[in-house]
Every structure is written in structure tokens, then in C-alpha cells.
Amino acid sequence: MLPIMELIQEHPGLAPYLAADDVIDHGHPLVQQTADTLWADTGDAYSYAQAAFEFVRDTVPHSNDAGDPRVTWRASDVLGQRTGICYAKSHALAALLRARAIPAALCYQLLTEDDGSHPVIHGLIALRLPGRAGWSRLDPRGNKPGVDARFSLDTERLAFPVRPELGEIDHPVLYAAPPEPVLEALRTAPDRAALMRSLPTAVPAS
């Protein structure tokens, strides 16, 4: 477990991290319906945030783990088709959180293979719950052998703690919308196999 790193907002204030757009489309009926169902089973921001995280982590398979060829990027499509890579699942979780007025940001890591080769950008989210100072990062990519991401606010329980000795990096910037390299990769890939060959290796700095 890692201490929470210092995170940097791309924008001042919280309004951009509550906004809807073409990707984090939390005004979509399916997103609203899913949020309403989860809220009915919880009823407060903390338990809702955990339920939303576990819902996306556990009921939307990571398409690479499942061998699913479909590429999703819009939050409502991720929830409707129940598939997506890390970026897409992060969009879905951000939408569910924003649907209940919980500020949610997109954030990224640079990860590599065990020998330091093939660096790629990995996506996760950060949220800011009422009454807490600062942001907490969560990773909804989905667990599997060797990956055990959890809902944890005081210490990070991410899917992939970075290994600096291999050149891996935690990017501190909190984005309100996906950076262009991430969105371009998702929108242009005809299938998952092509997407995995074109994953970005960098995101813009603050």
C-alpha cells in the first residue's frame, strides 16, 4: 500500500470535474438509471462511491482480460456494452460519480513490462468526497491474479503500484476530460487488438 501522492488539478475549482461531455456523459439515461439503482442501495456519498467503484471494477470486464474485441470510450456505451479497457472503465466510473455530484477526475500512470520495455499509459480516476481534504485515486480496471485494486481513501490500493526502477511514473495531473492522445487511440481503433498496439506513451503535462 502506498501513501497518497500529491495531485495537481488541471483546472481551478471543482466545476470542471462535475461537468458532462461527450465522453463522461452522465446525463445519459443509462448512466442516470445505474446511478439511481446504486444510490438506492447506499444512500450516502461514501457508500455510493464504493458501490460505484466496485460495480465498474467487477461487472464491466476489462476487454483485454476477457478477449472482447469491442472498443468503447463513452461512459454510457461502457455501461451498456459492459466492456472496456482501463480508460473506458475510468470514464464510466467518473460518470457515475459525477451523476451524484461527486467530483471525479481522470489520471494516469506510465507502466512498462517487467523488463522495462513497452511503456504505455494506464488510466484510473481520482475522486473528492465531502468532508475530506484532497483527492483519492482509485483504479477500476478489474482484478485478476496478481491485481488486487480496492476502494481505499487513506492509503492507495491501486492495480499497479509504479516501479520507478523500471521507469514507471505516477502522473500527478487531474484531468477533467480525457487527454487527446487517450481519446484519439480509443476513437480510431477498429478493434481491441489494434487499440492495444496504439496505446499512448505520454499524456500532456499540467
Side-chain angles (χ1 to χ4, degrees):
M1 293 185 293
L2 298 173
I4 294 176
M5 67 177 293
E6 182 179 357
L7 299 169
I8 302 169
Q9 291 184 205
E10 180 188 26
H11 303 284
L14 297 179
Y17 302 99
L18 293 166
D21 57 28
D22 193 40
V23 179
I24 304 175
D25 57 340
H26 58 76
H28 189 280
L30 179 57
V31 179
Q32 289 290 323
Q33 178 184 2
T34 305
D36 289 347
T37 299
L38 293 170
W39 184 265
D41 292 335
T42 55
D44 67 83
Y46 288 80
S47 55
Y48 172 82
Q50 180 169 357
F53 165 78
E54 292 175 352
F55 178 83
V56 175
R57 184 193 65 184
D58 298 341
T59 74
V60 179
H62 189 289
S63 57
N64 209 41
D65 294 347
D68 192 323
R70 295 173 294 172
V71 176
T72 55
W73 51 269
R74 185 179 286 113
S76 58
D77 290 337
V78 177
L79 296 177
Q81 299 183 41
R82 294 294 181 95
T83 189
I85 68 163
C86 60
Y87 309 144
K89 295 186 64 169
S90 295
H91 301 166
L93 179 54
L96 289 174
L97 293 169
R98 293 184 189 184
R100 282 292 165 177
I102 298 171
L106 304 172
C107 46
Y108 300 91
Q109 299 171 308
L110 179 69
L111 302 178
T112 71
E113 299 290 349
D114 289 340
D115 61 359
S117 65
H118 299 99
V120 296
I121 292 296
H122 171 66
L124 54 159
I125 70 109
L127 82 171
R128 188 164 185 148
L129 285 166
R132 292 185 62 88
W135 296 80
S136 300
R137 294 193 303 172
L138 301 171
D139 192 339
R141 76 147 325 269
N143 290 339
K144 61 180 183 176
V147 176
D148 186 26
R150 303 289 183 92
F151 184 85
S152 179
L153 302 176
D154 296 317
T155 54
E156 292 193 328
R157 296 290 301 274
L158 303 179
F160 304 112
V162 299
R163 300 169 293 182
E165 68 276 11
L166 297 179
E168 296 182 339
I169 299 169
D170 275 317
H171 289 289
V173 178
L174 299 174
Y175 298 90
E180 188 56 35
V182 170
L183 197 53
E184 178 72 9
L186 290 169
R187 283 178 163 166
T188 60
D191 55 35
R192 177 188 50 83
L195 175 60
M196 300 311 289
R197 294 192 297 268
S198 62
L199 294 177
T201 59
V203 290
S206 175

